[in-house]
């Protein structure tokens, strides 16, 4: 009984993290990779089948693999993420009316970009396709 409660909890947290990771693709300040890494950890303990699916996912799998094996992110993903961070923060700064909100958002953007651009880069991993 206790084992099934633990499994349901891990699966629930894992799917919540996948959901937040997907939303994080589009929203600033909601990082995708940490949520996917947490989802991976939950799925490994709660459902190895779902963990395998996540690790083999064409979009999310390479990010998880690069981080787990090299503690680095793909150059292409890093460039794209930097672009979206700048665009989303710029839109947010343009929309908010208060000057102190604009300053706060600009400061947060600068801090996020400083941290993010210090992460190690790795060349894109080319995944071999299975012949079936």
């Amino acid at each position: 009984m206790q084992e099934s409660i633990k499994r349901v909890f891990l699966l629930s947290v894992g799917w919540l993290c996948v959901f937040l990771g997907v939303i994080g693709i589009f929203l600033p300040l909601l990082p995708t990779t940490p949520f996917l890494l947490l989802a991976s950890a939950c799925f490994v303990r709660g459902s190895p089948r779902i963990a395998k699916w996540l690790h083999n996912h064409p979009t999310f799998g390479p990010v998880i693999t690069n981080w787990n094996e090299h503690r680095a992110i793909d150059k292409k993903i890093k460039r794209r993420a930097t672009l979206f961070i700048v665009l989303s923060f710029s839109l947010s700064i343009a929309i908010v009316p208060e000057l102190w909100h604009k300053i706060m958002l600009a400061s947060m953007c600068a801090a996020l970009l400083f941290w993010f651009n210090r992460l190690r880069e790795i060349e894109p991993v080319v995944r071999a396709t299975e012949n079936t």
Side-chain angles (χ1 to χ4, degrees):
M1 174 78 171
Q2 199 171 22
E3 195 63 32
S4 65
I5 292 172
K6 179 181 175 184
R7 185 173 187 273
V8 168
F9 175 75
L10 288 170
L11 290 175
S12 299
V13 171
W15 284 115
L16 175 65
C17 289
V18 169
F19 176 73
L20 291 173
V22 169
I23 291 174
I25 294 170
F26 306 102
L27 295 177
L29 298 179
L30 194 61
T32 299
T33 303
F35 284 117
L36 293 178
L37 294 174
L38 182 56
S40 172
C42 290
F43 290 150
V44 164
R45 290 164 185 77
S47 174
R49 181 177 59 84
I50 298 174
K52 184 178 178 184
W53 167 81
L54 186 61
H55 287 237
N56 290 325
H57 191 276
T59 302
F60 304 137
V63 173
I64 295 169
T65 302
N66 284 341
W67 188 257
N68 286 339
E69 293 178 4
H70 308 288
R71 294 293 187 250
I73 63 172
D74 184 307
K75 280 182 168 184
K76 182 179 175 183
I77 291 172
K78 192 173 186 180
R79 283 193 311 267
R80 188 180 316 147
T82 299
L83 175 68
F84 278 103
I85 289 168
V86 169
L87 289 175
S88 60
F89 270 95
S90 297
L91 178 64
S92 298
I93 290 168
I95 290 173
V96 297
E98 300 288 332
L99 178 62
W100 73 272
H101 288 149
K102 293 176 187 291
I103 293 169
M104 180 190 65
L105 284 168
S107 301
M108 292 166 66
C109 181
L112 178 60
L113 287 172
F114 176 76
W115 169 80
F116 185 70
N117 284 303
R118 292 189 66 207
L119 293 176
R120 270 188 43 218
E121 292 180 0
I122 190 169
E123 292 298 323
V125 175
V126 178
R127 290 186 154 211
T129 56
E130 297 177 0
N131 294 333
T132 53

